[in-house]
């Protein structure tokens, strides 16, 4: 690596800028068809994309995907791309897993949505319990919604107003979680569009891995629930210290708060998610994205005692809308996919393959980093691998914010794509699906090596 001068994440700024410019040009030069299609059709969307964050990918303009199969995309210009982003977990089991695609075809003959359950829904409920444990389930369409509804229940049954979240967390676009810490105080995160409420009235923010900070907030008596991912997968990748989760469980119980574990990303850990693999004991369990094989679906489950408390509360509340539920949620298509995915796709065998491939990727990237003496590190959570352009381990969201190197990362992302490998935007996350081949992993490692060689030249 460079030994002197203006360094970003260990890379010389002038070198980084030269590589970034060249890679952006190479991307654009090879995608004339995409560029022309966007020029014709994009203006009909607000800010030229159907979802605003599609602009946040680092390439000069977005890819237009033509087909997606297994762990591979083909774009409009005909490039085959090894997909390690996998819809940022929505397609963690591969694109259109066969049993799920078959379930979609079958259900399409019997209606898409009718606000009533099916027998398949009952089978899916049994499978959810078999996979994730003894919870009383509800179905939502996004993990954002599942978390919002879980928080309503937590406030209802505890009678307390606030949620405790960790600095740097992400649980979807849940308003309550959009807080950070400044000078030791919880504040609304800057940058939220149209924000009018002071979110510190709804939430309290602690640092991950800081049990005494958590206890200080619980002592106020205001905390209805602790909402956390088992690993902070949205803040680089911050692992819990050995006693952190046991400590959270004990503190939640001691102070009468519920523990909500959001497994939306850590479902990569293995069968039953991090909760099952590492023996956590949440009061409320949330998982979304890939749980129905890519069909928009999320589930949230209450432990039987919490469910009983909620039903008692529900029986006594004034009539009117609960603030939970959306019209298209729990539709028969979701259940058909949920059943197919839980029974035939999300299996121990699939996880064994994913784990093996992800370990190969972790070791490969780690060896490249060591070879180039980059001050970087790699973290893996089951099938989920992240390289971080700073030294580790990271302890909390503040460490992660300092470790994040947007310019270096954006350059690497585009350069990887130019070498046929797509990784998740915003940070450096890669998923290994059951469909991911060894040679795809080796190609990614080789591309990473080539790029680091150029960056450190
Ligand atoms: C941990 C976690 N929870 C919830 C969500 C929200 O999922 P969705 O965008 O499907 O609402 C995300 C999205 O990235 C997430 O990472």
């Amino acid at each position: 690596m460079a030994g002197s001068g203006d360094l970003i994440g260990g890379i010389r700024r002038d070198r980084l800028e030269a590589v970034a410019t060249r890679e952006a040009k190479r991307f654009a030069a090879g995608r004339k068809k995409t560029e022309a299609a966007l020029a014709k059709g994009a203006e009909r969307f607000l800010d030229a994309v159907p979802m605003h964050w599609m602009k946040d990918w680092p390439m000069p303009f977005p890819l237009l995907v033509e087909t997606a199969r297994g762990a591979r995309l083909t774009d409009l210009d005909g490039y085959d791309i090894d997909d390690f982003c996998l819809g940022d977990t929505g397609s963690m089991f591969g694109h259109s897993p066969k049993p799920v695609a078959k379930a979609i075809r079958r259900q399409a003959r019997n209606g898409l949505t009718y606000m009533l359950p099916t027998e398949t829904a009952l089978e899916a409920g049994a499978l959810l319990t078999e996979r994730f444990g003894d919870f009383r389930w509800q179905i939502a369409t996004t993990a954002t919604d599942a978390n919002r509804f879980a928080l309503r229940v937590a406030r209802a049954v505890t009678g307390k107003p606030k949620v405790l979240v960790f600095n740097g967390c992400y649980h979807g676009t849940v308003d309550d979680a959009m807080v950070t810490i400044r000078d030791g105080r919880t504040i609304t995160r800057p940058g939220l569009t149209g924000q009018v409420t002071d979110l510190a009235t709804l939430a309290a923010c602690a640092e991950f891995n800081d049990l005494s900070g958590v206890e200080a907030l619980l002592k106020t008596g205001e905390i209805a629930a602790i909402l956390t991912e088992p690993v902070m997968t949205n803040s680089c990748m911050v692992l819990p210290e050995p006693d952190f989760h046991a400590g959270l469980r004990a503190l939640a119980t001691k102070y009468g708060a519920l523990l909500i574990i959001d497994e939306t990303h850590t479902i990569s850990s293995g069968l039953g998610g991090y909760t099952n693999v590492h023996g956590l004991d949440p009061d409320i369990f949330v998982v979304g994205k890939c749980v129905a094989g890519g069909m928009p679906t999320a589930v949230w489950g209450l432990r039987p005692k919490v469910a009983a408390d909620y039903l008692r509360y529900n029986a006594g509340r004034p009539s009117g809308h609960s603030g939970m539920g959306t019209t298209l949620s729990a539709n028969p298509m979701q259940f058909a996919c949920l059943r197919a995915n839980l029974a035939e796709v999300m299996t121990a065998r699939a996880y064994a393959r994913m784990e093996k491939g992800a370990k190969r990727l972790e070791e490969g990237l780690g060896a490249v980093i060591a070879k180039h003496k980059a001050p970087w590190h790699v973290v893996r959570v089951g099938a989920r691998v992240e390289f971080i352009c700073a030294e580790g381990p990271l302890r909390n969201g503040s460490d992660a914010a300092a470790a994040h190197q947007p310019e270096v990362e954006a350059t690497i992302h585009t350069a990887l794509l130019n070498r046929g490998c797509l990784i998740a935007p915003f940070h450096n996350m890669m998923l290994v699906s059951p469909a991911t081949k060894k040679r795809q992993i080796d190609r990614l490692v080789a591309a990473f090596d080539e790029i680091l060689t150029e960056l450190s030249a």
Side-chain angles (χ1 to χ4, degrees), residues 25 27-38 61 77 79:
K25 274 192 193 148
F27 175 89
R31 288 193 165 75
K32 294 295 175 207
K33 229 173 140 181
T34 301
E35 200 173 12
L38 287 168
F61 48 85
D77 281 282
Y79 291 99

Side-chain angles (χ1 to χ4, degrees), residues 350-374:
Y351 274 112
R353 265 192 72 83
M354 292 153 77
E355 176 96 14
K356 195 168 165 207
K359 202 155 178 279
R360 185 178 183 90
L361 180 58
E362 176 192 26
E363 286 169 2
L365 296 176
V368 170
I369 288 171
K371 174 178 145 188
H372 292 280
K373 298 191 175 56

Side-chain angles (χ1 to χ4, degrees), residues 88 141-145 147 170-173 229 233-234 262-266 286 288-289 298:
D88 194 0
T141 301
T142 65
T144 297
D145 274 347
N147 281 321
Y170 185 67
H171 296 285
T173 50
E229 285 191 273
T233 67
N234 287 293
D262 179 354
E263 289 267 13
T264 299
H265 277 178
T266 48
V286 173
K289 294 201 182 181

